[in-house]
Amino acid sequence: MKYKYEEVIEQIINWAITGKYKPNEKIPTEYELMSLFKVSRHTVRKAISDLESQQYIYTIQGSGTYLSDWKQNNLYLKKTKNVGVLTTHISNYIFPDIIKGIESTLYDESFSLLLSSTNNNLMLENSNLRNLLAHKIDGLILEPTKSAYQIHNLEYLNSMISQNVPIIMINATYSAIKTPSLCIDDFTGGKIATEYLLSLGHKNIMGIFKVDDSQGIHRMNGFITKCLEKEIPPSSEILTYLSEEVETILPQRIKYALKSKKRPTGIFCYNDEIAYMVLNIAHDLKLKIPEDLSIIGFDDSPISKIMEPKLTSMTHPKEKMGRDAAKLIIKLINNGNHFEESDSILYEPELIIRNSTKPH
């Protein structure tokens, strides 16, 4: 996901590294560069301007553009550093904001981004890690796939570690890999959301949780802990699901629960997408939100603000997490992958109260 002018810059630098053009040797003209890279004149001029400002090249009026004498100018000749970013998703839900934070920070520091996703599929994680290894990346920002399970692709991650490639994890961790992480305090978030439903007088509450990701396990444990603290047995009111069941089994199970004679009056959902699903099913069943059913989501995603009624939800830092992850991976790349426990961040979630909840 490089800008076109960055590709031009990288290639011209690579010409010098490989000796294709020697110091003080003339490089192709603007027109030739446009044809070679299939880019606009504006893109070529941007690349030339940046290279000239950094003294990698110089221009002689009426003659052309030449490579500088690198050694004489004491310039450190190096390729652009590449950071791999592997998340479970890219284009939907909260992930565009996370990636926006990563991308903008990396580009500000002249790092390139290699972006891919796993769709929360272990085989796709396997192939993407293999691909990133082949590209010889300088660092990796990884969102673990099915993080509640035992790690399946340990060999690839260990291979990166053996090559001193820094790895940091976002949203979840693999316990078998000792590396910094940036995560939400999902357990505390689960407790806060459940406490709020109980404070509104809801006694018959249900939790819906994805259990192949550790985030779902932690949020469920927070739900259970708060119910037990209030002496409300939650065991019969927990609905769990796997990633593959979101569009198949899960909607039918939610519908069954909402049609039950003992249907819940309040539901805490794994995330805002599931909360939106609950809301639509409730509408189909002629249940009013929040009069008949209060709903809480998690992540304070864009969905939460466009739902009707707008969704009460736990916060997720999203773009800030992306920026923090990019800053940390740059730091580790520059300092030889030396990290401390204090490099990890555990973000405290907050409850954003909107119109999907009310007293029972």
Side-chain angles (χ1 to χ4, degrees), residues 272-302:
D272 293 347
E273 285 187 323
I274 302 305
Y276 185 61
M277 178 185 293
V278 171
L279 181 140
N280 284 329
I281 294 171
H283 281 171
D284 289 343
L285 296 175
K286 309 302 182 185
L287 296 175
K288 295 182 180 179
I289 310 298
E291 291 80 6
D292 299 321
L293 179 67
S294 287
I295 305 173
I296 297 182
F298 206 116
D299 293 330
D300 192 31
S301 70

Side-chain angles (χ1 to χ4, degrees), residues 26-298:
K26 187 176 180 180
I27 66 172
T29 65
E30 280 188 5
Y31 180 79
E32 289 169 334
L33 289 172
M34 289 166 57
S35 177
L36 180 63
F37 296 110
K38 294 180 173 55
V39 296
S40 67
R41 185 180 295 275
H42 173 78
T43 297
V44 169
R45 288 185 173 176
K46 168 65 174 169
I48 293 298
S49 174
D50 284 9
L51 285 166
E52 194 166 14
S53 68
Q54 297 174 59
Q55 299 183 341
Y56 288 131
I57 59 175
Y58 63 93
T59 300
I60 299 177
Q61 190 69 31
S63 176
T65 303
Y66 298 79
L67 284 179
S68 297
D69 188 333
W70 307 90
K71 293 181 180 179
Q72 182 176 321
N73 290 345
N74 293 318
L75 294 174
Y76 177 53
L77 198 61
K78 64 183 181 65
K79 292 184 177 180
T80 303
K81 294 291 182 76
N82 294 315
V83 173
V85 178
L86 181 56
T87 55
T88 55
H89 300 280
I90 292 177
S91 60
N92 63 335
Y93 196 48
I94 63 173
F95 293 95
D97 287 332
I98 295 174
I99 292 165
K100 177 182 177 182
I102 294 173
E103 184 178 47
S104 62
T105 304
L106 289 178
Y107 283 163
D108 285 346
E109 298 297 326
S110 300
F111 282 72
S112 292
L113 171 66
L114 296 174
L115 178 61
S116 52
S117 70
T118 68
N119 201 30
N120 214 31
N121 181 292
L122 291 168
M123 292 301 295
L124 283 175
E125 183 186 60
N126 180 292
S127 61
N128 278 301
L129 286 173
R130 217 176 332 121
N131 183 51
L132 290 170
L133 268 171
H135 278 83
K136 299 188 182 300
I137 56 172
D138 299 287
L140 174 65
I141 298 173
L142 171 68
E143 183 190 30
T145 292
K146 293 189 180 294
S147 52
Y149 296 167
Q150 183 177 357
I151 182 171
H152 284 72
N153 296 308
L154 184 60
E155 61 178 302
Y156 295 112
L157 297 175
N158 279 336
S159 179
M160 290 184 187
I161 292 171
S162 69
Q163 297 174 39
N164 205 34
V165 175
I167 300 172
I168 65 172
M169 301 192 190
I170 59 173
N171 286 328
T173 61
Y174 284 137
S175 59
I177 300 290
K178 185 173 177 58
T179 189
S181 62
L182 293 81
C183 298
I184 302 293
D185 189 343
D186 292 298
F187 177 78
T188 297
K191 290 182 65 177
I192 292 172
T194 309
E195 169 72 27
Y196 183 65
L197 281 176
L198 295 173
S199 73
L200 294 176
H202 295 278
K203 301 297 183 182
N204 185 13
I205 60 176
M206 182 171 75
I208 304 175
F209 304 102
K210 183 162 69 166
V211 290
D212 51 6
D213 287 337
S214 60
Q215 301 100 300
I217 299 292
H218 295 321
R219 293 170 191 180
M220 180 174 66
N221 286 339
F223 174 84
I224 292 172
T225 298
K226 182 54 63 174
C227 285
L228 292 177
E229 286 177 5
K230 299 296 183 178
E231 298 183 348
I232 298 176
S235 57
S236 62
E237 299 298 336
I238 293 179
L239 196 162
T240 63
Y241 67 97
L242 304 176
S243 298
E244 296 79 9
E245 299 173 340
V246 171
E247 296 180 0
T248 55
I249 299 173
L250 182 59
Q252 292 303 316
R253 296 182 65 195
I254 293 173
K255 185 175 183 179
Y256 179 82
L258 294 185
K259 291 176 68 176
S260 168
K261 291 182 179 180
K262 296 183 179 180
R263 67 170 178 80
T265 62
I267 298 181
F268 169 42
C269 301
Y270 166 72
N271 66 12
D272 293 347
E273 285 187 323
I274 302 305
Y276 185 61
M277 178 185 293
V278 171
L279 181 140
N280 284 329
I281 294 171
H283 281 171
D284 289 343
L285 296 175
K286 309 302 182 185
L287 296 175
K288 295 182 180 179
I289 310 298
E291 291 80 6
D292 299 321
L293 179 67
S294 287
I295 305 173
I296 297 182
F298 206 116

